[in-house]
Amino acid sequence: MDFTQIPQLRHTDSKQFFLLSGPCAIEGEDMALRIAEHIVQVTDKLRIPYVFKGSFKKANRSRVDSFTGIGDEKALKILRKVSETFHVPTITDIHEVSDAAKAAEYVDILQIPAFLVRQTDLVIAAAKTGKTVNLKKGQFMSPESMKHAVAKVTDSGNEQVIITDRGTMFGYQDMIVDFRGVPTMKQYAPVVLDVTHSLQQPNQSSGVTGGRPALISTMARAGIAAGVDGLFMETHFDPANAKSDGANMLPLDRLEKLLTDLSRLRTTINSLD
C-alpha cells in the first residue's frame, strides 16, 4: 500500500494517523460541503492526512422504511464536488458488483462493507477498478481470516488495500474491539479503526441501531495506543437528526478537540518506537 498514490491526499509525511471521516450518508450538497469544510480546516491545521467519507447509498438498513439515499448519481456528484472544492480524496461504500465501476468514476477509494467482505465478486470488481480498496472486517470474522480478503485484492493486481476493523459481534446487540487483532492485520495491510461503528448497538427491537458515542474518545485513544495506521469516524453537525447512524456519530463541533488530543498521543507513541 502506497498512500502517496491516493489522489490529493495531503500531509503524508507528517507521521500522523490518517483520517477517514464525514457523514454516514450523503443527505444533500450543503450538508456535505459544510462537514467537509470543517474537517479539512482541522486536519490541515494538525497535518493529518484526510479522506472525506460519505455513502452514496445505504443498502444495508434494518427496516424497509429506513433512509437509503437521495439518488445514486446525485450523491456521487456531490462526492465529486467535495473533492474538487476542497482538493481532498473521497471514499464511499459499494454493495453490488455494478456499483464498483460506477462509483470509481467519482471517488478515490472504494469501501467494502463489513457484511459483504466475503463476497468475492464484489471485492474483485472493486480491485479491478484500480482504486484503493478499503475492506471492513466482518463482525463475524477473525483478524487472521482477513488475509484472504486482502489476497482477493492483491491477486487481482491491485496492491492498494486497507483493512478497517469495526468491531466483532458481542451477543446480539453489542460490539467489541479486540485490539490483539491490530498487529495481526497489519501483517496484511495498513489497519484503520472504525471508532464510531465499533460503538454501535445493532439489532434493536425498534429496527433503529443504537450506540454509545460518549465512548468515542476512549475508543479512538485506545486505537492510537494500539498502533493503528488510521481512524474512521462518522460525524455530523446535528447527529440527532442525521438520516443514518446518528446514534453513534461524533458531533462535528467536538472533532477539533478530539483530533488535537489524538495527534498529540500519536506523537508520543511515535517517540516510543
Side-chain angles (χ1 to χ4, degrees):
M1 174 68 197
D2 181 357
F3 287 101
T4 64
Q5 291 189 27
I6 298 176
Q8 303 188 94
L9 185 64
R10 302 197 285 268
H11 312 305
T12 55
D13 61 345
S14 67
K15 297 185 179 179
Q16 280 295 337
F17 58 91
F18 66 96
L19 178 69
L20 312 178
S21 187
C24 179
I26 298 297
E27 302 170 9
E29 182 176 306
D30 289 345
M31 65 84 69
L33 293 173
R34 177 178 172 183
I35 292 171
E37 182 177 27
H38 184 83
I39 304 176
V40 168
Q41 288 175 351
V42 173
T43 52
D44 276 348
K45 178 180 177 181
L46 298 172
R47 302 196 73 242
I48 293 172
Y50 171 57
V51 179
F52 178 84
K53 182 270 168 185
S55 297
F56 77 95
K57 69 177 176 181
K58 302 299 296 183
N60 53 336
R61 314 313 294 153
S62 297
R63 294 178 4 185
V64 71
D65 61 346
S66 295
F67 174 81
T68 58
I70 60 174
D72 293 0
E73 187 174 4
K74 184 177 181 180
L76 287 167
K77 285 182 176 179
I78 290 171
L79 284 163
R80 175 186 282 166
K81 184 164 184 177
V82 167
S83 181
E84 292 174 346
T85 301
F86 300 108
H87 307 290
V88 293
T90 55
I91 178 172
T92 199
D93 37 352
I94 61 173
H95 302 84
E96 302 175 22
V97 169
S98 60
D99 288 342
K102 177 170 62 177
E105 294 182 18
Y106 296 89
V107 302
D108 303 293
I109 304 176
L110 299 178
Q111 180 168 284
I112 307 298
F115 285 126
L116 300 177
V117 75
R118 290 188 62 180
Q119 296 295 104
T120 300
D121 289 349
L122 180 64
V123 174
I124 290 176
K128 288 188 173 180
T129 66
K131 299 289 184 175
T132 298
V133 180
N134 183 29
L135 300 169
K136 300 196 84 172
K137 185 180 82 65
Q139 301 95 321
F140 45 86
M141 293 177 67
S142 69
E144 291 80 5
S145 65
M146 285 301 295
K147 65 184 176 183
H148 304 298
V150 170
K152 291 176 184 179
V153 178
T154 56
D155 288 352
S156 299
N158 188 343
E159 297 295 325
Q160 292 292 105
V161 58
I162 301 165
I163 299 172
T164 294
D165 190 351
R166 51 94 20 99
T168 301
M169 288 300 300
F170 186 69
Y172 288 116
Q173 294 176 327
D174 211 352
M175 311 289 294
I176 191 167
V177 175
D178 183 355
F179 288 100
R180 297 175 299 177
V182 172
T184 297
M185 292 186 289
K186 286 183 71 168
Q187 297 176 67
Y188 319 135
V191 173
V192 173
L193 175 63
D194 183 341
V195 177
T196 47
H197 285 103
S198 66
L199 294 170
Q200 277 188 338
Q201 293 180 312
N203 300 321
Q204 301 294 320
S205 59
S206 65
V208 178
T209 298
R212 303 183 69 186
L215 294 176
I216 287 173
S217 177
T218 300
M219 187 64 69
R221 290 182 183 195
I224 295 297
V228 297
D229 300 287
L231 295 176
F232 179 113
M233 286 190 283
E234 290 184 341
T235 184
H236 197 287
F237 48 81
D238 187 10
N241 290 302
K243 295 183 181 298
S244 179
D245 281 0
N248 51 269
M249 275 197 210
L250 177 73
L252 187 62
D253 60 5
R254 298 183 187 175
L255 183 70
E256 182 168 3
K257 173 63 165 62
L258 176 58
L259 291 182
T260 299
D261 291 346
L262 294 173
S263 66
R264 291 172 178 167
L265 179 58
R266 177 58 178 255
T267 299
T268 299
I269 294 297
N270 288 343
S271 73
L272 301 177
D273 291 342

